[in-house]
Amino acid sequence: MAESSKTAPLRIALAGLGTVGAGVIRLIEANAALIARRAGRPIQITAVSARDRGKDRGVDMTRYVWEDDMIILGEREDVDVVVELVGGSDGPALACARTTIEAGKALVTANKAMIAHHGLKLAEMAEAAKVALKFEAAVAGGIPVIKGLREGAAANEIERVYGILNGTCNYILSTMEDTGRSFADVLAEAQAKGFAEADPAFDVEGTDAAHKLSILAAIAYGTRIDFASVETAGITRIRAADIAQADALGYVIRLIGMAEEDRSGETPRLFQRVQPHLVPFDHPLAHVDGATNAVVAEGNYSGRLLFQGAGAGDGPTASAVVADLIDIARGDIGAPFSVPVSELEALAPASSGHRLGRTYIRFTVADRPGVLAEIAAAMRDAGVSIESLIQKGRAEAEGEVLLAIVTHEGPESAVTEALRLLEGSASLTAAPLVMQILGE
Ligand code: HSE
């Protein structure tokens, strides 16, 4: 008699054998017995595929069937689940995901760009085929934040979800803070250490964090993924002087992704933004240093939940991938976004204008009389109240100084209006840098 599908090994294929792929192989081998006990059956790798067959990956690949074409891994009879670790929103990763689901097999992926762009379509396909689609490793690496929201906090209305979703940016900002070094210098080091994406612009311009935020928002609010509406700003314009000024005021700078449901109007809207923020020294996110990620979810019954851990790396990412495999081995097919795609709400994007908060604005200005008066007049005319102002010495470029203003709490729309009034002013030598101050 054939082994029952509940006790037979779960047979997996790996598409992509980079750092994470090798990590998955090592984890499945090292913890085989406990994984089998917890999953109720063994997890077994049967086939693998990657671009370069000859590359030394530090693990013995000869035990597995090699498939040159990763797109057809899911069509193999000896494969129940394909683990896609190729990356990229389209191309081979997407083709592999589609063929796998079309073949009636489950898909586990760490690919945040693909889920942010195509997750709804893939989830519809998976729901129709009654197969699992899981992507815990796509958001915040080893931190079980998708499970945390889908399962642990499932009974709560989530009032706000926000956090540090990109390890490269966090490494750069916290190293600039510790050493006083420049952005470009520390970016080069992050690339050498290997956390940065293949294209570092995805990290430092906030795109990677925006991919992850759009996925978290969909899970937290039961809404359709809307990556295109995430207001995104990166960290490339932050100078050592901003970090020093933030420090003098009692803050660190962190790139924060934040999603909130705005129910203030007649119809609910979804606010999603990735932007560097000033984080007060006593906020838990101020203590998240290096390549670490952290996510805060505020549930209406749970209160503030903090998830923190490694957001990248072979071990942590493999841990998230294998957790998904264990769920599948246990028979958990569940809707990929908790509720079926047809029931996800399509919320219009909320603009930031209605939000109340304190803002840090750093101007780069010509060093001559009347400049401060001009800026102060624009603030006055737009109804922005200034809480503090710092101008220290002469800045790096000749005749140019940095002027930092912190506003009292007020609508963000007023700050936008003040900056509009200053547009084209000959006193400003570059566009101002605007960062919100993270509230309680
Ligand atoms: N480049 C990403 C980061 C890796 O720096 O967080 C994990 O998605």
Side-chain angles (χ1 to χ4, degrees), residues 277-347:
H277 279 64
L278 267 63
V279 179
F281 287 159
D282 62 359
H283 191 286
L285 294 187
H287 305 285
V288 177
D289 292 327
T292 307
N293 284 193
V295 177
V296 176
E298 293 168 356
N300 63 342
Y301 277 76
S302 63
R304 181 189 273 180
L305 302 170
L306 173 66
F307 304 85
Q308 181 171 347
D314 56 342
T317 312
S319 161
V321 165
V322 179
D324 281 347
L325 291 171
I326 292 174
D327 276 350
I328 294 171
R330 288 169 175 159
D332 167 8
I333 290 182
F337 290 95
S338 285
V339 293
V341 173
S342 59
E343 292 174 27
L344 293 172
E345 281 187 279
L347 298 191

Side-chain angles (χ1 to χ4, degrees), residues 59-399:
V59 277
D60 176 13
M61 296 289 167
T62 59
R63 298 163 290 174
Y64 317 124
V65 175
W66 180 274
E67 188 72 71
D68 281 326
D69 183 2
M70 62 180 65
I71 294 170
I72 58 164
L73 280 171
E75 292 171 353
R76 294 183 58 91
E77 297 239 314
D78 56 359
V79 169
D80 303 312
V81 187
V82 173
V83 178
E84 183 276 308
L85 301 169
V86 181
S89 60
D90 294 75
L94 184 60
C96 171
R98 286 189 175 135
T99 0
T100 299
I101 298 170
E102 274 160 8
K105 306 292 174 66
L107 182 81
V108 170
T109 178
N111 189 333
K112 55 255 164 157
M114 181 177 78
I115 296 297
H117 287 278
H118 306 290
L120 293 177
K121 185 69 206 150
L122 292 174
E124 264 173 5
M125 290 171 65
E127 286 169 20
K130 297 191 170 40
V131 295
L133 164 64
K134 292 187 174 280
F135 41 84
E136 180 66 66
V139 180
I143 309 175
V145 66
I146 293 189
K147 273 180 183 297
L149 291 173
R150 274 180 60 113
E151 298 169 25
N156 289 260
E157 223 170 73
I158 302 296
E159 288 162 352
R160 190 158 71 138
V161 62
Y162 62 102
I164 294 170
L165 299 171
N166 184 271
T168 303
C169 288
N170 210 59
Y171 174 83
I172 293 173
L173 292 172
S174 55
T175 306
M176 285 172 76
E177 188 180 296
D178 291 344
T179 62
R181 284 159 60 200
S182 72
F183 167 78
D185 189 17
V186 184
L187 168 62
E189 186 179 292
Q191 285 178 286
K193 290 197 171 187
F195 341 114
E197 294 294 305
D199 177 357
F202 268 50
D203 292 304
V204 296
E205 284 168 10
T207 313
D208 176 76
H211 285 146
K212 294 166 181 167
L213 181 71
S214 67
I215 300 169
L216 271 186
I219 303 272
Y221 299 111
T223 51
R224 294 179 69 83
I225 291 191
D226 187 8
F227 166 70
S229 301
V230 182
E231 280 179 32
T232 306
I235 63 165
T236 53
R237 297 181 56 226
I238 296 172
R239 298 190 186 189
D242 293 308
I243 294 189
Q245 283 173 350
D247 180 71
L249 294 163
Y251 303 96
V252 295
I253 300 179
R254 294 285 179 268
L255 184 71
I256 304 284
M258 180 181 293
E260 274 172 359
E261 215 176 13
D262 172 12
R263 296 211 168 257
S264 60
E266 276 179 19
T267 50
R269 288 172 176 266
L270 183 65
F271 173 73
Q272 303 178 88
R273 176 161 68 189
V274 170
Q275 191 196 55
H277 279 64
L278 267 63
V279 179
F281 287 159
D282 62 359
H283 191 286
L285 294 187
H287 305 285
V288 177
D289 292 327
T292 307
N293 284 193
V295 177
V296 176
E298 293 168 356
N300 63 342
Y301 277 76
S302 63
R304 181 189 273 180
L305 302 170
L306 173 66
F307 304 85
Q308 181 171 347
D314 56 342
T317 312
S319 161
V321 165
V322 179
D324 281 347
L325 291 171
I326 292 174
D327 276 350
I328 294 171
R330 288 169 175 159
D332 167 8
I333 290 182
F337 290 95
S338 285
V339 293
V341 173
S342 59
E343 292 174 27
L344 293 172
E345 281 187 279
L347 298 191
S351 86
S352 49
H354 71 284
R355 304 185 82 247
L356 289 180
R358 292 164 63 235
T359 308
Y360 169 98
I361 312 161
R362 187 259 288 149
F363 295 95
T364 319
V365 298
D367 195 5
R368 57 174 165 72
V371 169
L372 185 54
E374 187 184 340
I375 291 174
M379 297 284 161
R380 177 201 61 209
D381 294 346
V384 177
S385 171
I386 296 173
E387 180 185 294
S388 53
L389 184 147
I390 310 183
Q391 179 193 324
K392 275 199 190 142
R394 296 265 148 96
E396 300 102 77
E398 205 172 314

